Amino acid sequence: VVGIALAGLFSQLFAFLTLLLMYIAGNNRRLDVRVFIRSFSLAREIVPLGLPSVIRQGLTVASAILLNNIAAQISDSALFSASVSSKVFTLFFGIAIGIGQGISPLIGFSYGSGNGDRLERAFRLSSVCGSLILLACCGVCLIFPDEMTLLMAHTFSGKAADGTSRAIMIQCAALPFVQLGIVCNMAYQAAGRKIASSFLAAVRQGVFYIPLLLVLARFWGES
């Protein structure tokens, strides 16, 4: 656990220093507090646009913590199944996020220039291609759930393996439908629709997943 934490710390620090050096060296600029003070009005526009990302990532972390806590109260095998299946889903969910982040600048440029045709093509292409990629990932999970479990964990009991394989198949069956939601959310964010994008960012995890997790875990438990 300590090693994982240090790896995350140093990777984030290295990324920050790299971007900082590129900013300073590439533009021959130095950081000046007075620039930040004068840019306060601009910051008020930037922060709300970044709010959907904060909500999306914050709720993802909160739901993962809640899931682990609930599973730990049920049994060790439930905790194992929840942890491993979440890792598998997160692995493929990152693909959807990457496609959404990649298409966001194009959608923003198209929206800002009033080029509706290019915006529509970008939206359709990212949604369809991303859904097809995730559909293929879903097929891999449905066909090889045990192998996906072995990919994330090397030692486990028979009961934990059965529960994890079932959890992977159930969770990843929703993968093909994830991409459209991600692209819609990021399209609104790129277009500057702060309220709509913040709401969409909160819907999946905050409005549905966390409440359902609390209710279904209470009535169904590990079954």
Side-chain angles (χ1 to χ4, degrees), residues 80-101:
F80 178 88
S81 299
S83 177
V84 173
S85 61
S86 295
K87 290 178 182 177
V88 173
F89 184 80
T90 302
L91 176 66
F92 297 130
F93 185 74
I95 298 175
I97 293 292
I99 293 174
Q101 291 178 336

Side-chain angles (χ1 to χ4, degrees), residues 132-165:
L132 290 176
I133 293 173
L134 293 181
L135 181 62
C137 296
C138 174
V140 172
C141 291
L142 293 176
I143 297 173
F144 305 106
D146 295 337
E147 286 75 10
M148 297 303 299
T149 303
L150 284 171
L151 183 65
M152 296 296 175
H154 300 291
T155 58
F156 48 84
S157 64
K159 181 180 179 181
D162 294 338
T164 304
S165 298

Side-chain angles (χ1 to χ4, degrees), residues 163-215:
T164 304
S165 298
R166 184 174 59 177
I168 289 175
M169 289 189 291
I170 293 174
Q171 199 167 17
C172 288
L175 272 176
F177 309 101
V178 168
Q179 188 65 68
L180 180 61
I182 293 295
V183 173
C184 285
N185 183 198
M186 293 190 173
Y188 276 101
Q189 188 174 0
R193 303 294 182 88
K194 308 176 187 67
I195 297 177
S197 58
S198 297
F199 173 74
L200 290 174
V203 165
R204 187 177 69 89
Q205 297 279 12
V207 177
F208 289 103
Y209 181 70
I210 291 179
L212 284 173
L213 182 61
L214 293 170
V215 173

Side-chain angles (χ1 to χ4, degrees), residues 5-211:
L6 289 174
L9 171 64
F10 288 127
S11 63
Q12 293 291 343
L13 181 61
F14 178 76
F16 168 74
L17 293 176
T18 301
L19 293 172
L20 180 63
L21 290 174
M22 290 178 63
Y23 172 80
I24 296 175
N27 298 282
N28 294 320
R29 294 176 179 174
R30 61 185 180 87
L31 296 178
D32 192 337
V33 177
R34 291 172 297 178
V35 175
F36 291 101
I37 296 175
R38 290 200 301 266
S39 303
F40 181 73
S41 59
L42 182 61
R44 287 188 300 179
E45 298 180 14
I46 295 174
V47 171
L49 287 175
L51 184 60
S53 298
V54 175
I55 294 174
R56 184 167 50 247
Q57 296 177 14
L59 288 175
T60 299
V61 173
S63 61
I65 294 173
L66 180 62
L67 175 62
N68 286 339
N69 287 338
I70 292 176
Q73 295 174 5
I74 297 174
S75 68
D76 290 340
S77 60
L79 177 60
F80 178 88
S81 299
S83 177
V84 173
S85 61
S86 295
K87 290 178 182 177
V88 173
F89 184 80
T90 302
L91 176 66
F92 297 130
F93 185 74
I95 298 175
I97 293 292
I99 293 174
Q101 291 178 336
I103 206 66
S104 291
L106 180 57
I107 290 178
F109 297 151
S110 301
Y111 181 83
S113 63
N115 193 335
D117 291 336
R118 184 172 64 176
L119 191 154
E120 184 179 351
R121 290 198 304 271
F123 182 88
R124 187 186 302 115
L125 178 65
S126 58
S127 299
V128 173
C129 291
S131 297
L132 290 176
I133 293 173
L134 293 181
L135 181 62
C137 296
C138 174
V140 172
C141 291
L142 293 176
I143 297 173
F144 305 106
D146 295 337
E147 286 75 10
M148 297 303 299
T149 303
L150 284 171
L151 183 65
M152 296 296 175
H154 300 291
T155 58
F156 48 84
S157 64
K159 181 180 179 181
D162 294 338
T164 304
S165 298
R166 184 174 59 177
I168 289 175
M169 289 189 291
I170 293 174
Q171 199 167 17
C172 288
L175 272 176
F177 309 101
V178 168
Q179 188 65 68
L180 180 61
I182 293 295
V183 173
C184 285
N185 183 198
M186 293 190 173
Y188 276 101
Q189 188 174 0
R193 303 294 182 88
K194 308 176 187 67
I195 297 177
S197 58
S198 297
F199 173 74
L200 290 174
V203 165
R204 187 177 69 89
Q205 297 279 12
V207 177
F208 289 103
Y209 181 70
I210 291 179

